[in-house]
Amino acid sequence: MVYTSYALHKPVIASDVGGFSESVIDSETGLLVPPRDSKSIADAIIYLLKHSDESVRMSNMIKKNISDGLFCWSNIADKYIDVYKNFGH
């Protein structure tokens, strides 16, 4: 779900658990809320609906991360290469 939203340049609202915590940069590419807290999820949705400027800012950050940041394929490949180079050291 996270990367599908990113592909559409949409901010993500997710619980701060597991892979979501690693994939969503809080207040940059989306909003992380405490687990099992439906009020926080509702508040985050309402916040982004009322603050379209924040939603646009997050969308722009997602676009930037896709083109030359965290989600850029060349950067991802470089990280994998570093892992393999350092494997066993």
Side-chain angles (χ1 to χ4, degrees):
M1 170 196 80
V2 171
Y3 294 104
T4 300
S5 295
Y6 287 169
L8 298 170
H9 307 131
K10 301 296 181 191
V12 174
I13 298 169
S15 293
D16 192 3
V17 296
F20 294 133
S21 304
E22 297 173 8
S23 300
V24 178
I25 304 167
D26 193 33
S27 299
E28 287 189 30
T29 62
L31 299 172
L32 292 172
V33 298
R36 300 176 190 244
D37 188 345
S38 57
K39 176 148 178 23
S40 290
I41 293 172
D43 289 344
I45 293 168
I46 291 168
Y47 175 81
L48 286 181
L49 289 173
K50 286 186 174 181
H51 298 90
S52 60
D53 57 324
E54 277 297 297
S55 185
V56 168
R57 184 187 64 75
M58 289 180 191
S59 292
N60 289 334
M61 182 61 73
I62 292 165
K63 289 176 193 175
K64 183 176 188 276
N65 278 323
I66 288 171
S67 65
D68 61 354
L70 291 174
F71 313 130
C72 173
W73 282 113
S74 62
N75 288 347
I76 292 169
D78 288 343
K79 288 179 186 176
Y80 273 102
I81 290 168
D82 287 343
V83 167
Y84 284 108
K85 282 182 180 177
N86 294 317
F87 187 72
H89 290 280

